[in-house]
Amino acid sequence: MPSYVIAGASRGIGLGFVEHIAATPENTVFALARNPDGAKGLQALAGKPNVHILKADMTDPTSLQAAADAVAAVTGGKLDVLVNNGGIAGESWRTLDDYASPQALIEDFRSVFDTNVLGGILTTNAFLPLLRKGERKKVLSIGSGQGDTTSILEIGQKYSPSYAVTKSAMEMVGVKYAVKYKDEGFTFLTICPGPVKTDMATPPTDPEDQKRAKEVWESFAKIAPPGWKGPMEPVESVRKMLDVLDHTTPADSGKFVSHKGTRGDWFG
Ligand SMILES: NC(=O)c1ccc[n+]([C@@H]2O[C@H](COP(=O)([O-])OP(=O)(O)OC[C@H]3O[C@@H](n4cnc5c(N)ncnc54)[C@H](OP(=O)(O)O)[C@@H]3O)[C@@H](O)[C@H]2O)c1
């Protein structure tokens, strides 16, 4: 009975993980959401015997500990796989030097760092005791190619500063855990899901932001494969990411890869 925790499972890719994993009856899935009652897609899965919905905010250690205790009560204290999925985009159409004010920049960076970086660390720490007793010992953190310095230099993408900086930091978080747990059979993987049709990928409505969004998509085209058809459905991305995870071993711990299992190949 492999057990999975999906943190940030209310919608989008996180919900896709829950749906896909729960489709295999032998799996047990714990879906963590900060507002489960308001998550329609998640509630539609509530009747499945292998789905457990828990309330937890990735930035709130108390709620994470309560969720870890609830998981332990079902699994006998073990967990096989943790997916740190929850994340926020922050100010997608700003550059580092054109926020309305220094305070606006500070607030954006702090809130995005809290969720994307500290959220992943706090969630991992809450479930580490269970993962240590699990068989697979795998932690999948959902990063982004926007955090890959080489690709960003290559395509010349200056927007989404707080998001890109935090997604870059997530790679180092994975490396630090990989180093610490090197001899315990753990695999910490940071993975980009590829461009996916979710709320986060919704086009802007402001005309100036639309121009910037067009610029961004043109920059993506510089490294997208010829004939690339645009963002995929969550289920397709989830299937590919889980396939990558299934093929990784502790020798891969600390890597930052795409949904295809390679670095730099962020599209398709
Ligand atoms: N879509 C893409 O093209 C793409 C590309 C690269 C990387 N990603 C990454 O993929 C992950 C999922 O994004 P998505 O595209 O599915 O976006 P989304 O539809 O906006 O969903 C974001 C999810 O994160 C949850 N979340 C945010 N803050 C949280 C917190 N403090 N605690 C718990 N959950 C929290 C949200 O919950 P609420 O409903 O409570 O807000 C929601 O379930 C993110 O890490 C994102 O950066 C997405």
Side-chain angles (χ1 to χ4, degrees):
M1 291 268 290
S3 52
Y4 293 77
V5 164
I6 314 300
S10 65
R11 54 196 165 95
I13 296 169
L15 178 61
F17 271 111
V18 180
E19 286 170 340
H20 186 78
I21 295 165
T24 301
E26 292 74 32
N27 292 335
T28 303
V29 197
F30 299 89
L32 272 51
R34 47 186 176 176
N35 177 19
D37 293 342
K40 275 192 198 153
L42 202 50
Q43 289 305 335
L45 301 171
K48 283 178 103 47
N50 61 344
V51 176
H52 302 260
I53 299 173
L54 301 169
K55 186 175 168 68
D57 184 321
M58 292 175 71
T59 64
D60 173 16
T62 307
S63 72
L64 290 166
Q65 190 53 53
D69 291 345
V71 171
V74 174
T75 62
K78 302 183 223 171
L79 175 67
D80 289 312
V81 180
L82 168 66
V83 179
N84 287 317
N85 171 76
I88 57 173
E91 293 283 357
S92 300
W93 313 112
R94 301 268 66 82
T95 62
L96 281 169
D97 59 352
D98 75 353
Y99 280 77
S101 65
Q103 196 54 34
L105 180 147
I106 289 167
E107 283 168 15
D108 182 45
F109 267 72
R110 284 189 177 152
S111 69
V112 179
F113 190 88
D114 270 0
T115 302
N116 295 1
V117 183
L118 280 176
I121 297 170
L122 292 169
T123 307
T124 303
N125 288 350
F127 287 97
L128 266 172
L130 280 68
L131 288 158
R132 292 176 100 163
K133 293 184 192 147
E135 282 176 23
R136 301 195 181 180
K137 297 182 173 56
K138 291 192 172 184
V139 178
L140 187 66
S141 295
I142 310 303
S144 169
Q146 301 236 33
D148 179 43
T149 52
T150 304
S151 298
I152 294 306
L153 271 173
E154 186 179 345
I155 67 177
Q157 217 282 74
K158 56 184 179 285
Y159 299 112
S160 294
S162 54
Y163 184 75
V165 168
T166 58
K167 290 295 182 183
S168 198
M170 283 178 67
E171 179 182 8
M172 184 55 83
V173 170
V175 168
K176 289 290 184 189
Y177 278 118
V179 171
K180 169 121 195 235
Y181 289 97
K182 188 174 182 300
D183 299 324
E184 288 194 37
F186 269 86
T187 308
F188 290 91
L189 202 65
T190 304
I191 194 163
C192 171
V196 184
K197 288 180 202 164
T198 65
D199 294 344
M200 195 178 277
T202 304
T205 49
D206 176 84
E208 283 306 310
D209 289 346
Q210 284 172 345
K211 282 187 209 157
R212 296 181 182 115
K214 185 166 175 284
E215 201 184 310
V216 169
W217 283 103
E218 284 167 0
S219 77
F220 287 169
K222 291 180 191 164
I223 56 170
W228 178 59
K229 292 190 175 62
M232 65 194 128
E233 295 296 336
V235 65
E236 186 184 351
S237 168
V238 162
R239 195 172 37 76
K240 289 180 174 169
M241 287 192 281
L242 288 174
D243 189 50
V244 171
L245 188 68
D246 282 348
H247 288 89
T248 52
T249 71
D252 299 305
S253 196
K255 286 186 181 169
F256 173 28
V257 297
S258 76
H259 58 302
K260 297 176 181 170
T262 49
R263 186 168 186 146
D265 194 5
W266 309 118
F267 295 86

